[in-house]
Amino acid sequence: MTQSPRDVAHLWGRVLQETPEEAENLAGAMRGHPFADGQGWMPGRPLLADRARAQALAADMEQLLELIREETLRRCSREPERLAALAGVDHRLAAPRTPGIECWTDSARADVVPSSNGWQVCEINVDSTLGGAGAMAAAAEAHLNGPAAARIRAHGLRLSAPDYYARKAEVLRTWSALPSNSPPRTAVIGITQPGEPYPDAVFDDEVRMLREHGLPAHRVDPRDVSVHDGRLRDPRGNEFDLAVRYYIPRVAEWLGAEAEHLHRIEEAEHTVVFVPRTAFGYASKRGLAWLWEAAAEGQPGYEVVRRRVPYTVVVAERHVVLPEGDVVYLPAHLERNQKDYVLKPAFEMGGRGVLLGRETSADVWRQAITESLAGACSMVAQRFVAPRVLDMPILRAGRVQNRPVHAVISPFLLGGRYAGSFCRLAPASRPPVINWEEDLMCTALVTTDLHGE
């Protein structure tokens, strides 16, 4: 039986009201995670009821990821070491055994906006997927078999857990290059930025979930890691085959970790160090713009870009071909058509610095374009995608309320395969750009099963 998202929201809210104790438990379990607002809420599961649409999205994501890989390699003359200069950021060379560029692009998380024109892929974050999704996995594990889930199944709606951590463990085993009967000893090297109310939550989830999938994992602060004979070692003497880094160097240095020490960690000869936020990850901010340039040239195989990706372009002093075929001078076009575009800094994360044209003053908009042209802050411009308003059941003060929201769905690909999703929500009354630091209201689990009935 096919049900609309609105029907699902009302059904889920009704079921939760019949199980108030579970609703409170759900809210408590999510408190303190970076994907929650800390006030207590119920993950509005499931948001995606249309399985066929989700399958189509996953297939298109795989195709887009392959196009990004090929386009980026082409632009750096198939020499990955040139990618840092192309991306415009400093890039530390990876450790000797760290997987190469082909492997990095097997990991991706997209930002997808449900709109009147279908689900639009507004961003693909390459190589960021091995970062934390502990809240998503923990909530699915803790609540999928609860009374509310059982009751909603009785109404004919299938629920299934994202298999993010199963895929993640599989990828990490492959990258460690150890025999299959020897799971890699894994260091979760984490350091949190100041001001986080529950700084250990995501690392604790990460270690627990990796252990549940057979990887001997330990949380280690980078300031406590030492290097002996090319292998990482923690204060208890544990040595590691694999390290997953969860810190930004400049933050770690500000907190007291010396840059030279961080270099030694990342260059350990006998430990595979997964280093997220590489130059490729930064370049992926521009990746969709590069795809649109290729699509505008009429290259075959790029039809998925026009169908799934809103027009995206790197801000520069040049003439460009619009999707409609018109040739325009880009800076003047962006100023004249401000309400139709969003400006995004090329090298920021979490939505910082994003400007929504229809919500920004003309002076601020013009200044951002000027700074980008001067090289002060490289930006990409993207056609605005108007999100559809969705109903979502939210737990507030012990009551379930259906709230109109805007949503950004974030499906994961690991090893080139779909590995689950989560969804960020913000009140529909706010401007429809969902930023981690400002607009985030709550997170919904997306539990659509793409592989079974």
Side-chain angles (χ1 to χ4, degrees):
M1 178 174 59
T2 301
Q3 301 184 59
S4 70
R6 181 181 296 271
D7 291 338
V8 172
H10 285 295
L11 173 60
W12 190 250
R14 213 166 54 241
V15 168
L16 280 180
Q17 287 175 327
E18 297 169 1
T19 56
E21 292 183 2
E22 184 183 7
E24 290 294 343
N25 291 337
L26 300 184
M30 296 303 294
R31 226 174 251 119
H33 289 86
F35 299 152
D37 64 4
Q39 300 176 22
W41 53 271
M42 165 57 201
R45 191 181 70 227
L47 179 61
L48 302 185
D50 190 332
R51 185 166 165 270
R53 187 177 293 177
Q55 285 179 311
L57 172 64
D60 284 349
M61 266 192 64
E62 292 178 13
Q63 189 176 352
L64 287 169
L65 195 58
E66 181 63 28
L67 290 175
I68 287 176
R69 172 193 292 155
E70 287 303 312
E71 188 66 21
T72 305
L73 287 175
R74 182 181 71 82
R75 286 173 180 267
C76 66
S77 302
R78 309 202 77 81
E79 299 175 17
E81 61 271 16
R82 294 185 56 198
L83 187 55
L86 183 67
V89 297
D90 293 332
H91 178 51
R92 299 178 180 185
L93 294 178
R97 291 176 55 216
T98 300
I101 194 170
E102 294 292 330
C103 290
W104 294 120
T105 54
D106 276 346
S107 300
R109 177 183 62 80
D111 288 342
V112 180
V113 175
S115 76
S116 57
N117 294 324
W119 291 358
Q120 295 292 291
V121 178
C122 294
E123 191 166 320
I124 295 183
N125 300 297
V126 179
D127 91 7
S128 70
T129 308
L130 288 188
M136 176 187 72
E141 176 198 46
H143 314 315
L144 195 65
N145 295 317
R151 293 194 184 197
I152 203 169
R153 280 196 198 94
H155 288 272
L157 185 65
R158 179 181 176 81
L159 298 178
S160 62
D163 54 357
Y164 173 81
Y165 271 94
R167 293 270 193 271
K168 182 169 185 173
E170 176 185 333
V171 170
L172 292 178
R173 286 175 186 271
T174 300
W175 284 4
S176 70
L178 292 175
S180 58
N181 59 347
S182 302
R185 294 163 293 181
T186 305
V188 177
I189 307 181
I191 189 167
T192 54
Q193 299 189 43
E196 295 188 19
Y198 298 86
D200 295 325
V202 72
F203 299 123
D204 291 344
D205 278 340
E206 183 75 13
V207 168
R208 178 173 59 82
M209 297 301 290
L210 289 178
R211 287 179 177 177
E212 288 184 3
H213 286 84
L215 299 187
H218 299 269
R219 158 81 185 282
V220 187
D221 189 298
R223 292 166 291 192
D224 296 331
V225 174
S226 57
V227 181
H228 294 269
D229 297 325
R231 189 176 296 279
L232 300 187
R233 183 182 295 177
D234 70 9
R236 295 182 296 275
N238 295 310
E239 293 187 338
F240 299 100
D241 307 301
L242 184 75
V244 184
R245 191 189 82 178
Y246 288 86
Y247 62 84
I248 302 173
R250 66 175 181 267
V251 173
E253 292 166 12
W254 185 75
L255 292 176
E258 297 179 0
E260 184 178 347
H261 177 59
L262 299 178
H263 278 291
R264 284 197 298 271
I265 292 174
E266 295 176 8
E267 294 170 359
E269 182 178 359
H270 300 296
T271 304
V272 178
V273 181
F274 178 85
V275 184
R277 303 181 179 92
T278 61
F280 196 97
Y282 283 111
S284 65
K285 207 68 157 176
R286 297 182 172 189
L288 297 183
W290 293 341
L291 294 192
W292 259 104
E293 288 183 16
E297 294 170 2
Q299 295 190 30
Y302 282 75
E303 294 81 6
V304 66
V305 177
R306 292 182 175 274
R307 180 174 72 252
R308 188 68 80 172
V309 180
Y311 176 66
T312 308
V313 62
V314 176
V315 177
E317 289 198 56
R318 57 179 175 145
H319 286 80
V320 298
V321 180
L322 298 179
E324 301 79 13
D326 299 330
V327 178
V328 298
Y329 179 60
L330 183 60
H333 173 74
L334 293 177
E335 288 192 26
R336 286 196 304 267
N337 299 276
Q338 175 179 334
K339 66 180 179 60
D340 296 328
Y341 283 91
V342 178
L343 287 177
K344 302 179 180 181
F347 308 125
E348 276 291 0
M349 296 174 294
R352 290 186 292 270
V354 172
L355 297 177
L356 180 61
R358 59 192 60 204
E359 298 288 337
T360 304
S361 71
D363 290 342
V364 171
W365 185 263
R366 191 178 304 110
Q367 180 182 357
I369 294 174
T370 300
E371 290 178 352
S372 182
L373 297 177
C377 178
S378 180
M379 305 195 85
V380 298
Q382 188 173 81
R383 286 272 177 92
F384 171 69
V385 175
R388 289 191 293 113
V389 176
L390 305 174
D391 274 351
M392 181 56 56
I394 304 295
L395 179 69
R396 294 292 185 192
R399 295 178 58 247
V400 176
Q401 305 169 349
N402 282 323
R403 297 277 297 278
V405 299
H406 292 138
V408 172
I409 302 164
S410 294
F412 292 91
L413 290 182
L414 275 175
R417 299 159 63 192
Y418 176 77
S421 307
F422 68 86
C423 182
R424 287 168 281 160
L425 305 175
S429 58
R430 297 184 187 176
V433 172
I434 301 179
N435 294 345
W436 286 112
E437 295 186 340
E438 297 174 1
D439 293 336
L440 189 63
M441 181 175 73
C442 61
T443 301
L445 290 178
V446 178
T447 59
T448 300
D449 183 358
L450 300 188
H451 306 293
E453 293 297 327

